[in-house]
Amino acid sequence: MTRTGDAARQTLIRRGFVLEYATLGWNVIGIVVLAVAAMSARSVALAGFGLDSLIEIGASTVVIWELSGTGENRRRRALKLIGVGFALLAVYLLVQSTWALATGFRSHHSPLGIGWTAVTAAVMFALAVGKARTGTALDNPVLKTEGRVTLIDGLLAAAVLLGLLLNSLAGLWWADPAAGYVLVYYALREVKEVFGEH
């Protein structure tokens, strides 16, 4: 590889690190914000999205390890741990969402949850585009894959936002646990991908 090509590659790797650290930082803040919002609103969807953010922290950490040049075995172990985390998330949300629907449990309005999920959707979509472009330029399948995870995280934020808005604006109380089921589907899909590949 030429010196110019090597310098360009190093620039792309630095950009990959910046994108992953930005995702990591956002999700760390998100866990705190979502915990407060979920407890005050008693929202299944917000609690689930907070747990999803915790798992996304693990996914970003895996990519940071991979960009640092760590071994394949460590990456596989980390991915399996993330898969177990998604499986536990799916079980938790399935039980909680079903309980909420069966008992007619109504969550409260959550202006904080609405604001945070709206901004999170926009941030995740922007980060996903950056990761896709950088991963493609580097020909790095791990960064490209994690970019798709970030895109899905943005879509999940939008789904939770829709559930919160339907609950707050239209009084559709079942929209909150229904958003929980969207998260269940996503979590199970991630479990299948992780354990299907390894």
Side-chain angles (χ1 to χ4, degrees):
M1 183 177 282
T2 66
R3 190 173 298 174
T4 304
D6 191 49
R9 181 170 177 79
Q10 289 305 313
T11 299
L12 288 168
I13 289 172
R14 281 195 297 274
R15 185 186 304 161
F17 276 117
V18 168
L19 290 164
E20 290 304 329
Y21 280 119
T23 305
L24 202 58
W26 187 270
N27 282 318
V28 167
I29 294 167
I31 287 171
V32 177
V33 174
L34 289 164
V36 170
M39 284 189 289
S40 63
R42 300 189 304 166
S43 166
V44 172
L46 283 173
F49 194 58
L51 291 172
D52 175 70
S53 295
L54 184 62
I55 295 167
E56 297 299 342
I57 288 170
S60 291
T61 303
V62 167
V63 177
I64 289 167
W65 281 342
E66 199 275 337
L67 288 174
S68 301
T70 54
E72 180 70 17
N73 286 339
R74 187 176 185 184
R75 185 181 72 86
R76 283 186 183 155
R77 280 196 304 271
L79 285 171
K80 284 185 179 178
L81 286 172
I82 290 169
V84 169
F86 274 118
L88 293 173
L89 173 65
V91 171
Y92 166 80
L93 286 172
L94 187 61
V95 170
Q96 288 295 327
S97 296
T98 303
W99 174 82
L101 286 172
T103 61
F105 178 82
R106 287 163 167 73
S107 61
H108 301 143
H109 303 308
S110 180
L112 176 61
I114 289 170
W116 182 259
T117 52
V119 175
T120 295
V123 169
M124 291 300 122
F125 290 145
L127 287 170
V129 169
K131 289 176 189 182
R133 288 180 179 167
T134 305
T136 299
L138 278 171
D139 193 26
N140 184 308
V142 175
L143 184 57
K144 286 192 283 189
T145 299
E146 211 277 321
R148 288 194 296 274
V149 171
T150 304
L151 174 64
I152 292 167
D153 203 28
L155 293 170
L156 289 176
V160 173
L161 174 62
L162 179 62
L164 294 172
L165 287 172
L166 288 172
N167 182 38
S168 290
L169 302 177
L172 301 176
W173 64 270
W174 49 263
D176 183 79
Y181 283 123
V182 173
L183 292 171
V184 169
Y185 168 77
Y186 162 69
L188 290 175
R189 201 181 76 164
E190 289 301 308
V191 169
K192 184 179 176 185
E193 280 211 13
V194 168
F195 289 105
E197 289 178 2
H198 302 286

